[in-house]
């Protein structure tokens, strides 16, 4: 239905943002704003109750303030959900606001500084967006992994701990990594045994 619902602590469900059944990418008051949600779209909220939406379809990051105002924080808006131009080098780029370009923005989190970190699925990268809409790309190296080349790893979901360390899942091998001091270290998962086995580190396994 292209809307965001809000579930209150008392169990009351209400329409929070969007126009029921209307697809689009219009900013403005939550009652008039439109969204184009697909299976790749995600939500995240920061400590100031700002809600962020990754628009997988139009390749932008949108923000909803507690006052109920929707704006496009970063990304050059695609005119439609067509993604035929994704292979072009110009499809990606850091910068501020509409100067930045995303491929397919997906999973996202917020950190203690109010920055948004999101997975650019097509670029297989993590992009950081600060409160002013400045986009940069996280850089890291992988710790040695004799069993797999980092070229075969594909970013899935993100998480962050109180110390600011970023975690991401690998959708091809079922690993979980932690980025610490610029190095991605495998903390759990077993590529040769996809499943739901509990254990420590490599003894545990996950479905992709």
């Amino acid at each position: 239905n292209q809307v965001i619902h809000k579930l209150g602590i008392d169990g009351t469900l209400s329409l929070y943002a969007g126009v029921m059944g209307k697809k689009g990418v219009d900013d403005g008051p939550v009652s008039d704003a439109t969204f184009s949600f697909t299976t790749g779209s995600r939500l995240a909220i920061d400590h100031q109750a700002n809600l962020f939406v990754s628009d997988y379809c139009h390749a932008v990051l949108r923000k909803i303030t507690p006052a109920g105002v929707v704006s496009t924080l970063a990304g050059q808006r695609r005119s439609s959900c067509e993604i035929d131009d994704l292979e072009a080098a110009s499809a990606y780029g850091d910068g501020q606001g509409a100067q930045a370009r995303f491929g397919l923005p997906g999973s996202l989190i917020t950190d203690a500084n109010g920055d948004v970190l999101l997975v650019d699925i097509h670029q297989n990268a993590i992009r950081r967006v600060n409160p002013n809409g400045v986009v940069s790309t996280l850089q890291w190296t992988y710790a040695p992994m004799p069993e797999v080349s980092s070229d075969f790893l594909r970013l899935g979901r993100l998480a962050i701990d109180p110390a600011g360390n970023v975690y991401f899942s690998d959708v091809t091998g079922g690993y979980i990594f932690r980025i610490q001091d610029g190095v991605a270290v495998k903390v759990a998962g077993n590529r040769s045994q996809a499943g739901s086995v509990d254990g420590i580190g490599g003894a545990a396994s996950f479905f992709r």
Side-chain angles (χ1 to χ4, degrees), residues 140-163:
W140 70 86
T141 59
Y142 284 93
M145 293 178 291
E147 74 275 25
V148 62
S149 168
S150 60
D151 293 338
F152 291 96
L153 302 175
R154 291 295 177 265
L155 300 173
R157 302 288 192 263
L158 295 178
I160 193 166
D161 67 19

Side-chain angles (χ1 to χ4, degrees), residues 1 18 28 42-43 46 49 98 101 104 107 125 131-132 137 141 156 170 181 192 194 196 198:
N1 290 314
R42 298 288 184 267
L43 303 177
D46 67 13
R101 297 193 68 180
L104 295 171
S107 176
N132 294 319
T137 302
T141 59
D170 160 47
D181 298 326
S192 63
S196 56
D198 292 340

Side-chain angles (χ1 to χ4, degrees), residues 73-97:
L73 181 62
Q76 186 177 125
R77 182 184 302 173
R78 280 198 290 264
S79 60
S80 70
C81 289
E82 298 298 327
I83 56 175
D84 294 337
D85 62 341
L86 282 177
E87 296 299 334
S90 60
Y92 315 107
D94 293 338
Q96 183 167 18

Side-chain angles (χ1 to χ4, degrees), residues 31-206:
S31 58
D32 299 325
T34 56
F35 300 88
S36 297
F37 290 118
T38 68
T39 55
S41 302
R42 298 288 184 267
L43 303 177
I45 196 164
D46 67 13
H47 295 298
Q48 285 72 47
N50 295 298
L51 187 65
F52 297 91
V53 182
S54 61
D55 189 327
Y56 184 91
C57 180
H58 293 96
V60 292
L61 176 65
R62 304 179 72 190
K63 176 181 178 180
I64 307 175
T65 68
V69 177
V70 182
S71 62
T72 300
L73 181 62
Q76 186 177 125
R77 182 184 302 173
R78 280 198 290 264
S79 60
S80 70
C81 289
E82 298 298 327
I83 56 175
D84 294 337
D85 62 341
L86 282 177
E87 296 299 334
S90 60
Y92 315 107
D94 293 338
Q96 183 167 18
Q99 295 176 348
R101 297 193 68 180
F102 301 108
L104 295 171
S107 176
L108 69 165
I109 56 175
T110 62
D111 68 11
N113 298 319
D115 292 354
V116 177
L117 287 86
L118 63 86
V119 170
D120 193 325
I121 298 170
H122 197 270
Q123 195 180 6
N124 197 36
I126 298 176
R127 316 287 293 278
R128 179 185 295 275
V129 186
N130 76 12
N132 294 319
V134 177
V135 180
S136 58
T137 302
L138 264 67
Q139 303 293 330
W140 70 86
T141 59
Y142 284 93
M145 293 178 291
E147 74 275 25
V148 62
S149 168
S150 60
D151 293 338
F152 291 96
L153 302 175
R154 291 295 177 265
L155 300 173
R157 302 288 192 263
L158 295 178
I160 193 166
D161 67 19
N165 297 308
V166 176
Y167 296 77
F168 64 86
S169 63
D170 160 47
V171 297
T172 60
Y175 293 127
I176 294 176
F177 290 88
R178 178 180 63 245
I179 302 176
Q180 189 170 4
D181 298 326
V183 178
V185 179
K186 183 181 68 177
V187 295
N190 185 335
R191 188 181 184 89
S192 63
Q193 182 181 312
S196 56
V197 178
D198 292 340
I200 299 175
S205 62
F206 303 91

